[in-house]
Amino acid sequence: MKTIHFNQIRISLVGMALMFLGCNPQGSGGSDGALSSSAAEKVYIAPGEQDEYYAFLSGGYSGNLTVYGLPSGRMFKEIPVFSQFPTSGYGYSEETQPMLNTSHGFVPWDDLHHPDISQTNGELDGRWIFANGNNTPRIARISLSTFETEEIIEIPNSAGNHSSAFITENTEYVVAGTRFSVPVPQRDMPINEYKGNFKGALTFISVDPEEGHMEIAFQVIMPGFNYDLARPGRGESHGWFFFSTYNTEEANTLMEVNSSQNDKDFIAAINWKKVEEYVAQGGGESVAVNYAHNLYDESTHSATSTMIKKVVTVDPTQIPGAVYLLPTPKSPHGCDVDPSGKYIIGAGKLSADVTVHSFTKMTEAITNEDFDGEAYGIPILNFDNVLAGVVKSGGLGPLHTEFDSQGNAYTTFFISSEVVKWELGSWEVVDRKPTFYSVGHLMIPGGNSRKPYGKYLVAMNKITKDRYLPTGPEMEHSAQIYDISGEKMELLYDFPTHGEPHYAAGCSADLLRDKSKKIYRLDENNHPFAITSPAEARVERDGKEVHIYMSTIRSHFTPDNIEGIKVGDRVYFHVTNHEQDFDVPHGIAMIGANTSEILVMPGQTKTIVWEAKQVGVWPFYCTDFCSALHQEMQGYIRVSPANSNVELSWSLGD
Amino acid sequence: MKTIHFNQIRISLVGMALMFLGCNPQGSGGSDGALSSSAAEKVYIAPGEQDEYYAFLSGGYSGNLTVYGLPSGRMFKEIPVFSQFPTSGYGYSEETQPMLNTSHGFVPWDDLHHPDISQTNGELDGRWIFANGNNTPRIARISLSTFETEEIIEIPNSAGNHSSAFITENTEYVVAGTRFSVPVPQRDMPINEYKGNFKGALTFISVDPEEGHMEIAFQVIMPGFNYDLARPGRGESHGWFFFSTYNTEEANTLMEVNSSQNDKDFIAAINWKKVEEYVAQGGGESVAVNYAHNLYDESTHSATSTMIKKVVTVDPTQIPGAVYLLPTPKSPHGCDVDPSGKYIIGAGKLSADVTVHSFTKMTEAITNEDFDGEAYGIPILNFDNVLAGVVKSGGLGPLHTEFDSQGNAYTTFFISSEVVKWELGSWEVVDRKPTFYSVGHLMIPGGNSRKPYGKYLVAMNKITKDRYLPTGPEMEHSAQIYDISGEKMELLYDFPTHGEPHYAAGCSADLLRDKSKKIYRLDENNHPFAITSPAEARVERDGKEVHIYMSTIRSHFTPDNIEGIKVGDRVYFHVTNHEQDFDVPHGIAMIGANTSEILVMPGQTKTIVWEAKQVGVWPFYCTDFCSALHQEMQGYIRVSPANSNVELSWSLGD
C-alpha cells in the first residue's frame, strides 16, 4: 500500500530558504598580512609549552567525546563513550562490553551530543563530565581524572535523548529530556494518533556527591512535544530547569513542514525542587520499565550491567507551581541561561530574532497567575509579560547563545553563518563575524556556569566544503576559534573536528592538569584475573576455557610460549601490565582474533578472547611501541587437534 | 606445569640500556621569542587558505589511516581500513561487513603500520595508497579519489605482516613480508623446534594497472627469520626488493635477549624480476591455502568477499641469482633506499651507527661470487665488499632513514631521541636535532620515491608524557614537524596523532586536490536496493525480512511513517541519499539498533538492519546536521505483535 503524496512546492520553498545561504567560497578574517601574523602568534603553542584551556567536543555520530586544547585546536584524546573503539578495545574487551548493554541488548554505537562538566556552587569543579546518547537514550559519566567512561545509565520512556545531559548548580541532577515523544508506556498504536496520546519524558537523574553514581530520581511526563535543549537555572533561578520545545503542533509526519506551523512554541520551566519535594512525600507513580545501569569500577578495571525494573513518573499537573510554559517564537533550539540566572534565552531557529525571557518577570507572572491559556493542564505564561527583551539581530536562524564575564552574549546563526555579539540588558548588537560555514553551536570555556572565561569562542560549523584539503566525498566537520577578549571578535583559526561535534564544554587547564591520573597502582588492582607479579603468571584450563594469567613488562610477555591449547578452546588472555611508569602501555594482539586488540595501561588488567580454530603455531605480539626491543615482544601459542594429548604448558626463556 | 625461569639480571641490563633515555622534561627549539615567531608563521594556515602537503599517517592499533595537512598538523580525515568505524558504519553496514572477512571469520580490527602511495616511473602518481594489517595478515588498497578503502587481500602462510605494504617503481607489486615465521604450511608442532622448521614468506602481490586490483603473484619461502621492513630498488636497482631481518638466531622465546645475540643480521635482497620470470615459466609450487579477497565496488557501493584456495610458493634456492643476504649489524629495523637507488641503508636498532650498502658493489659481489657462507642455501654476501659506508652518528638506536632532494639523508634514533641529518657519499653528519620523545619513524613528503620534496620532515614519536595537557593514563602519540629547507633543521611544531602512527607517506597537495571526488552520481548508482528518486520509495515484506527502500533529501525521509512491522521482523533500511551537492551527507539511526548508524554520502546507498523486538512506536532520525530543519528529519516505525494483522503501509506527509 503506497501512500506517498505531499505538497512538493511547499517543501522546495522551505528548502530554498534554509539551505546553506551562508556558504561563501573563501574565508576572510586573518588572511591579510598584519592580522594573520597576529592570529598565528595567538594560536601557536611552541614545542614544550601547553594550551590554556581544555575543550571537550561531542563526537556526535562517532559516539565518543574528544578532548582538544585551546587556542591550538589540537586533539589530545578521543574518549570512547557509547561506541566500540578498536584502538583501546573499549566495547570489545570482556571488561568493557557490559558498558554498552541496554534493554535492546548490546548496542555498539550512539550519537553523543552534549557534554556538561560537573559544578559546585554554579562553578565548574572538574570532577566529571556528563554526555548524552541520543539514539538509544542514555547518559554517560566520564571521569576527569582518568578521562575514561565510568558509568552509563539508560533512560526509559524516552526516545532521541536530545535535551541532555545538562546539570544543576551543585550537580544535584543531570537531566535527560526526550526529543521524540512516544507512547508512554510503549504500546502498539497507530502513528497518526500521536496527538494527545504520545508523551515526552523529562528525566531527572540524581548524582551521588561522592562517587558520582547516577540514579533516576523521577520522570516528569510532559505533553507530546519535541524537547530539544535545556539549561539549569542558576543564582536567583536555582531550583528551576528550562527546556526548549518544538513540534508543539504534535505532528507525526513531514515534520519539516508540519512542525513549523505554530508562530510560537514553548520553553518549559520545571521547578525541580518542587517535584523533588513532591516525590519525597510519596508523590508520583512507580511504573514498570526495563533499563540498563552500567558501572565501571576503577579498582577491578571491569564494568557490570544491571537491569532496573522501576521508575517514578510524575504528572506535572498534579504538582502545584512546578511546571509552566513560556511561549517562544519559531521552533526554539537553544535554551540558554545567562551567568546571573536572570535571563532565559530562546533561539527560535526559524526566526531572525533572539527572545529573552526574564526570570523575575516569570516568577511575577506565576504569582499573578498571568496565564495565556494552558496546554494539557500546564499553564502557559503571558508572552509579553515574561519578555525581558528581543535581540534584533539582523541574522537568520539563531541556534545557541553563550556568554562572557563582561555582560555580553554570543549567538550563533546557522542560516546567515555568523556569530553575533550582543549586550545583556540593552539587547543591542555589538559585533558580528562570519563563520565558515553554517555554524551550529558554540562554546566559551566555563559556559553554562556562573563564571565563563571570556577569552576564546569556538564555533562548531556544519559545512566544511573548501576549508581544508579535500578528502573525497566525506570530510571532517570544522571549528573556528575567535579571540573575544576585545570589543570586536577576531577570527583566529580553523581546525577540523572528529565525528560531528554538536556541543562542547571547556575549562581552564588549571582545573584539571594537576589531578590527571598517570598510572593505576598495582597494589590497588582488584581485577579477579590480575596477577601481582610476573612470577604468578600461569595458564589454567577449565573445560574448554583456558585462562592465561599474563604479565607484560618491557619487553616481554610472561609466558611467551604456550602449548596444550586445542581446537575448540576459548582462550582468555588476562593481561596485567606490570609497568608503573607514566605513558608505558602495552597492547596485545593475537592473529585471527574476532575482536580488537586491548591496550593495557600501567597497573591495569584487561581481557581478550581468542578462539582456537585451526591447528598450528600462532603468534601474538605487543601492539604499542614500548621500547627499543618492542619488535621482540612476541610469543607463540601451539594449537593441537581437539583430541590431542599435548599437555598444557607455558614458559618464558626456556 | 609451570616452567618459567630465566636470567632476571640480563633482562634488567637490557632494559636499563634501552628504555627512554631521551626523555627530557621540556622541549626546546621554537620556544624562545624570535624563533617561535618564525615557527608560528611557518605552520599557520590562515582561515580560507590550505595546507601544502597531504600526510597519510598509519593509525597503528586504531586499524585506520589518518590524513593530515602539512605544515599545520591538522587531521582532515580518519579513513577506516581494517577496523570497524562506528562513525560511518564501516564494518557494520551490510555493504561493508564483507571487507573485514578473513579465513578466521569476521575480524573487526587490525594494526595498520605502513602506508605507501602508488608510483609510476618511480614517482608518486597519487592513484592509490596501500597499507598493511599487521596482526591478521592483510594488505589494503585505498582510493586517493574517494579516500575510501576499496580492497583488502589476506596473506596466507604469514604472521605479523610487518614488512609491508611497500610498492615497486611502477606499482607492479606491493609486497607483504612476514614478521613472525611460522610452520609453512601450518601444523601442530612443538614451538621449540622452530629453528630450521619455521619459515618466513615474502609475498609479492601484483596490482592491476587500470583498476588497482590485487592478486598474489608468488610467495618466496625464506628461512625462519623475522622480516621487519622493506624498500623497493629504484633507478639502477629497479627489479630488486630489500627486506631487513632480525632474529636470524631463530629464537622462539624471550626474544628481547635471545634474538639480540648475533652481531649481524641480514638485509635480504630479492630480484623479483628473476622470480617473476621463474614463475612465468612454470616455476614454483601451487599449494593449498585459504584466504579472503575483499573488493568494494564503487558502482554498487558494496563489497564482496571471495575465499581463494591456491597460492604459488617458490623456494629461493631453486632460482639462480634471485636471492642474497647482506650482513647488516645489530637487528636492523629500517631498510631504506636512497632516491637514486644506489644505496641501501640498514638501521641496526641496537647500534650507534648506520650501515650503507652499495648496490653497485652488491652486483659486483654477486658476479664475483664474493660470498661469506650461506644460510639455508642462500648466499651471504661479503659484508666489507658490499659496504658503501658507515655513518658514525654519535646517536643510539637508529630506526629509519628518509631523504631530501639535495643528497642528504635523515635518520631517526629512538634511544637517543633525535633526528640526524647526514650526507650521502661522504657519510658525514651535517646536523642533529632532539625529538620529544623517543622517535620511531619519520616522513618526508615524496619519500620512498625518486623525487622527495625536501621541505618538511615529520618525526613520529613514541612517548608523549608532558607534551600536551594531560588526559589521564592514556594519551595520543605525538609528532613533530621540522623545516628542513635550510642546512640546519628547525623544529617548528608538535602535533598529537590519532592511534599509534608507525609510518607515513606524504605528497604535494597538487597531486590530489583537483581529482578528489565530491559526490557519487545517482545515475551511476548500481546498488541492488537503490532507488532513483523519492517517488520509488517503498517497503516490501519477504517473510520475516522487511526491506525499506528509503530516500533522504533535505529535510525528510521518504517514507517517514511505517506500519505493519511485527515483533521478530528483521528490518533492512536501504537508504539512498538523493542529494547531489558536495558535503551534504545524511545519516540514519534507529533506536535500539544493535549496530552503528550509517552515514550516506550524496548519491550513495547504504543499509543497516534493525530487529523489531518490542511492540511500540519507535523513532529514527537523521544523524548529520543537514539543514536548518535537520531536527525535524525523523520518522516512526510502528511495531505490532508477531500475530498482528496490521497491514504493511508507509507514507510521508499524510
Side-chain angles (χ1 to χ4, degrees), chain B residues 104-115:
Chain B
H104 305 269
F106 183 81
V107 172
W109 173 88
D110 215 312
D111 185 13
L112 187 155
H113 272 237
H114 313 120

Side-chain angles (χ1 to χ4, degrees), chain A residues 361-622:
Chain A
K361 288 186 176 182
M362 182 189 104
T363 52
E364 286 167 4
I366 291 169
T367 304
N368 300 336
E369 298 194 349
D370 186 3
F371 301 149
D372 190 8
E374 49 84 25
Y376 298 101
I378 299 171
I380 300 170
L381 299 174
N382 182 303
F383 174 69
D384 294 327
N385 293 345
V386 297
L387 192 70
V390 173
V391 182
K392 293 289 177 185
S393 72
L396 196 58
L399 286 190
H400 178 203
T401 303
E402 290 273 328
F403 309 91
D404 65 18
S405 53
Q406 309 296 314
N408 298 300
Y410 301 79
T411 302
T412 49
F413 286 75
F414 177 83
I415 299 172
S416 55
S417 272
E418 58 186 334
V419 181
V420 174
K421 175 180 178 179
W422 50 275
E423 190 183 46
L424 284 159
S426 77
W427 325 121
E428 293 298 322
V429 170
V430 179
D431 188 26
R432 63 194 326 130
K433 283 286 183 298
T435 62
F436 304 92
Y437 306 98
S438 300
V439 62
H441 290 270
L442 78 165
M443 188 272 279
I444 292 172
N448 192 26
S449 84
R450 295 187 189 205
K451 292 203 175 166
Y453 309 92
K455 187 165 182 186
Y456 300 114
L457 180 158
V458 175
M460 286 164 275
N461 301 319
K462 295 301 180 183
I463 305 292
T464 302
K465 292 200 190 275
D466 58 0
R467 302 307 288 179
Y468 308 109
L469 292 178
T471 57
E474 187 184 335
M475 287 177 299
E476 293 283 42
H477 285 247
S478 182
Q480 295 183 292
I481 181 166
Y482 298 76
D483 180 341
I484 58 165
S485 60
E487 189 186 348
K488 299 292 181 185
M489 298 178 278
E490 181 192 358
L491 172 58
L492 299 179
Y493 197 51
D494 286 24
F495 63 95
T497 52
H498 206 42
E500 185 192 2
H502 288 277
Y503 227 79
C507 67
S508 162
D510 297 337
L511 191 66
L512 304 182
R513 183 169 27 208
D514 294 338
K515 65 179 193 126
S516 182
K517 201 168 191 101
K518 289 190 160 54
I519 62 161
Y520 299 102
R521 285 179 53 169
L522 271 170
D523 59 6
E524 293 173 352
N525 183 335
N526 293 316
H527 190 293
F529 289 92
I531 51 176
T532 57
S533 82
E536 293 178 20
R538 63 190 185 275
V539 184
E540 291 178 354
R541 175 177 287 282
D542 177 12
K544 285 194 164 296
E545 284 188 2
V546 175
H547 294 271
I548 306 173
Y549 295 73
M550 183 173 272
S551 162
T552 61
I553 202 156
R554 281 163 292 181
S555 294
H556 56 273
F557 295 96
T558 312
D560 72 355
N561 279 202
I562 299 168
E563 303 204 344
I565 307 298
K566 296 170 192 174
V567 169
D569 282 347
R570 196 170 162 82
V571 181
Y572 291 77
F573 290 78
H574 305 287
V575 181
T576 301
N577 182 354
H578 285 109
E579 308 283 355
Q580 289 283 264
D581 287 345
F582 180 37
D583 202 15
V584 191
H586 293 287
I588 185 169
M590 178 77 209
I591 190 170
N594 301 114
T595 183
S596 77
E597 69 143 10
I598 45 175
L599 191 66
V600 191
M601 294 298 121
Q604 197 174 38
T605 304
K606 282 189 184 175
T607 304
I608 49 165
V609 174
W610 181 69
E611 294 172 54
K613 295 175 183 164
Q614 302 171 55
V615 296
V617 182
W618 304 100
F620 55 90
Y621 68 94
C622 176

Side-chain angles (χ1 to χ4, degrees), chain A residues 553-557 560 579 586 620-635, chain B residues 10-20 162 179-180 226 228 246-247 249 253-262 265 330-333 347-351 396-399 414-415 438-439 462:
Chain A
I553 202 156
R554 281 163 292 181
S555 294
H556 56 273
F557 295 96
D560 72 355
E579 308 283 355
H586 293 287
F620 55 90
Y621 68 94
C622 176
T623 52
D624 185 279
F625 202 121
C626 54
S627 78
L629 287 165
H630 155 72
Q631 288 292 85
E632 284 72 6
M633 189 163 174
Q634 63 159 106
Chain B
R10 230 157 134 205
I11 301 289
S12 298
L13 288 173
V14 173
M16 283 169 64
L18 298 173
M19 293 167 196
F20 316 134
H162 197 271
R179 180 162 133 219
F180 307 126
N226 289 33
D228 206 8
Y246 65 102
N247 191 28
E249 297 85 352
T253 183
L254 196 58
M255 304 283 282
E256 63 180 310
V257 174
N258 295 325
S259 75
S260 306
Q261 303 298 313
N262 289 350
D265 297 278
K330 302 286 182 198
S331 300
H333 187 57
K349 68 190 178 203
L350 302 181
S351 171
L396 196 59
L399 285 191
F414 178 83
I415 299 172
S438 300
V439 62
K462 295 302 183 184

